[in-house]
Amino acid sequence: MSLTGRLGLEQPKRVSTGLEPPSPPPFRLDHVTDAGCCPSPALAILPRAIPRPTNTAAVLLLRTGLQPHPLEHLTLPYALTSVGRARPLPSSDDDYADGSDDSVSNLSIASTIYQYRLENGRRYHAYRDGQYWAPNDQQARSSEMVSHHAFLITLNDRLLLAPIHKPRRALDVGCGIGTWTLDFAEAYPNTAVVGTDLSPIQPDTIPPNLHFEIDDCCSDWVYPRDHFDYIHVRQLYGSVADWPKFYRECYDHLAPGGYIEQAEVNPAPKSDDGSIARGDPFDECGKLAVRAGNAFGKSLMVEEFMHDEIVRAGFTDVVRVRFKWPIGGWSNDPRLKELGKWVLVHWNEGLEGWVLRFFTKHMGWTFEGVKQWNADMRRVLKDRKYHAYQDVSVVYARKPL
């Protein structure tokens, strides 16, 4: 039975893309109510104009595939640049002015980016080993697909909110399994789309206007200046130590008039009705998230400060749209109840991977201690007395002409 069937959730019908969206329509703040719960502002609901996508959850398991690329596939999409990064072969001489091919063989590339690190029963990226905290194995990728679906529900089946129009080139930073990137490339077939990540876990079958690169967004960018018309960032929390530098790179490599858009989830659960009290497991979970980011040297709380940093980087027309993700189906609102069920799946699928490396390598926990904490949190996730949610923000902004 499919994932949607097991959960009793709405069966997706058709991929929607937000193709060439106009300026985002006004949104309203709906109220979440539940038995014994005071009304509270909840998800910012965007008017629904297009059907629910099909390329999420269980369907995505078939579409993206969850096995690593065979080594022989590496000769098609990847080459190695002079700065030591796996990069697709450019389609024209001016695609990458300073990204000439290196003499390193494709076999050498495979020997580095596919030598994954195994820790505590989970698999992690090899390129820039240790610079990122999340696993890249099947369970982690399944969680990412569920997260993608939750974002589509949140944005009312749109892929983006920025009012872009016929972009020539687009970049998806930290693309993960590449689901959003693939959808965007199909929605904008005349746009040259690049997706970058530390792990080669993207699908093999992609449209001709899309390619993936193995790259570290924290390194100096090698693209030409003023190159992209749209840069997309999503769930990069805990990935960047120097956010001002990152936004400067985005600014420098966007063409005048181009847009940056970033969507982030705050890992600290909250409640508006007092169901999460000080010292409760959800409250402690949020405090641990702050401590983990500090110990790792890369904050997990970017949702709270990205708007101000984007303004400081020099962008104009900065817009922040705020949402809430219920954790579980506790809401009386049908749409929020559906969203909450997906977010709960996201937690159950992703929880171990979110904390395992943080807690064991950077906070001194034992593996057994982490397993026990996970078991305790799973019991808390089933407790309907908690009306927990996460803050979610989407910020988009334009580089001045």
Side-chain angles (χ1 to χ4, degrees):
M1 181 180 294
S2 69
L3 182 59
T4 52
R6 292 201 308 272
L7 294 172
L9 301 177
E10 175 185 347
Q11 180 65 36
K13 299 184 179 112
R14 175 75 179 105
V15 173
S16 68
T17 61
L19 180 61
E20 301 291 2
S23 298
F27 62 91
R28 70 181 191 275
L29 287 176
D30 280 6
H31 286 260
V32 179
T33 60
D34 207 342
C37 174
C38 299
S40 59
L43 187 74
I45 304 295
L46 298 173
R48 175 170 291 185
I50 42 184
R52 182 58 44 80
T54 58
N55 62 334
T56 52
V59 180
L60 286 177
L61 295 171
L62 299 177
R63 180 171 184 177
T64 63
L66 292 179
Q67 299 302 318
H69 293 288
L71 296 185
E72 60 268 20
H73 290 180
L74 205 60
T75 59
L76 292 177
Y78 294 108
L80 193 67
T81 67
S82 57
V83 294
R85 304 177 191 174
R87 170 171 299 239
L89 294 170
S91 58
S92 64
D93 291 341
D94 61 352
D95 274 354
Y96 302 106
D98 53 358
S100 59
D101 292 341
D102 197 82
S103 60
V104 182
S105 69
N106 285 331
L107 183 58
S108 297
I109 303 169
S111 68
T112 57
I113 66 175
Y114 286 102
Q115 289 181 351
Y116 299 119
R117 176 177 291 277
L118 300 179
E119 285 181 10
N120 296 315
R122 302 300 298 268
R123 195 188 74 182
Y124 296 85
H125 66 97
Y127 180 64
R128 299 294 168 87
D129 183 21
Q131 294 302 304
Y132 185 56
W133 48 269
N136 67 0
D137 51 24
Q138 179 166 330
Q139 183 176 343
R141 286 179 279 172
S142 175
S143 174
E144 185 179 333
M145 286 186 283
V146 175
S147 173
H148 179 67
H149 185 63
F151 268 106
L152 287 172
I153 297 174
T154 303
L155 301 184
N156 216 3
D157 303 322
R158 294 176 179 268
L159 291 173
L160 64 154
L161 297 183
I164 63 175
H165 181 67
K166 296 182 179 179
R168 295 172 302 164
R169 302 183 185 92
L171 172 67
D172 186 20
V173 181
C175 67
I177 59 175
T179 309
W180 183 94
T181 328
L182 179 59
D183 284 352
F184 182 88
E186 291 178 343
Y188 295 85
N190 296 320
T191 302
V193 183
V194 179
T196 66
D197 201 83
L198 295 175
S199 292
I201 54 174
Q202 299 76 34
D204 291 316
T205 304
I206 58 177
N209 63 318
L210 168 63
H211 65 255
F212 294 105
E213 300 177 1
I214 305 305
D215 201 359
D216 182 359
C217 67
C218 298
S219 300
D220 293 338
W221 292 19
V222 297
Y223 306 105
R225 295 174 71 92
D226 303 333
H227 187 67
F228 295 103
D229 300 296
Y230 178 67
I231 294 178
H232 177 260
V233 183
R234 189 168 79 184
Q235 291 183 288
L236 214 58
Y237 57 93
S239 303
V240 177
D242 188 347
W243 282 103
K245 177 182 182 296
F246 174 84
Y247 292 125
R248 286 196 302 271
E249 294 281 16
C250 292
Y251 188 94
D252 290 344
H253 294 88
L254 270 174
Y259 278 87
I260 180 177
E261 181 165 346
Q262 184 169 1
E264 296 290 347
V265 180
N266 193 311
K270 299 179 180 179
S271 70
D272 288 333
D273 61 355
S275 59
I276 299 178
R278 184 180 298 274
D280 279 349
F282 274 123
D283 179 60
E284 293 300 319
C285 183
K287 294 176 182 176
L288 284 171
V290 174
R291 288 173 52 198
N294 291 340
F296 188 50
K298 298 178 180 180
S299 175
L300 297 172
M301 313 305 287
V302 61
E303 184 271 339
E304 298 180 352
F305 59 76
M306 63 180 179
H307 172 274
D308 293 344
E309 290 295 339
I310 288 173
V311 170
R312 291 191 189 99
F315 290 96
T316 60
D317 302 328
V318 183
V319 176
R320 181 183 187 182
V321 187
R322 307 183 72 169
F323 307 92
K324 295 183 180 181
W325 275 9
I327 303 173
W330 53 265
S331 172
N332 285 335
D333 180 281
R335 186 177 176 195
L336 294 176
K337 182 181 290 290
E338 178 195 3
L339 173 62
K341 289 180 179 179
W342 283 108
V343 174
L344 181 59
V345 174
H346 181 46
W347 271 74
N348 280 317
E349 287 286 312
L351 184 61
E352 180 186 80
W354 298 343
V355 303
L356 190 54
R357 176 170 271 192
F358 279 135
F359 287 5
T360 57
K361 295 197 69 173
H362 301 283
M363 297 174 66
W365 289 39
T366 65
F367 174 68
E368 291 74 18
V370 176
K371 298 292 284 188
Q372 183 60 55
W373 185 87
N374 275 316
D376 293 342
M377 277 303 302
R378 291 182 190 281
R379 285 192 290 271
V380 172
L381 290 170
K382 296 177 182 178
D383 192 337
R384 292 182 62 85
K385 78 175 183 181
Y386 294 111
H387 301 148
Y389 67 86
Q390 293 173 273
D391 284 325
V392 177
S393 290
V394 177
V395 176
Y396 60 89
R398 184 174 61 88
K399 180 177 179 177
L401 292 170

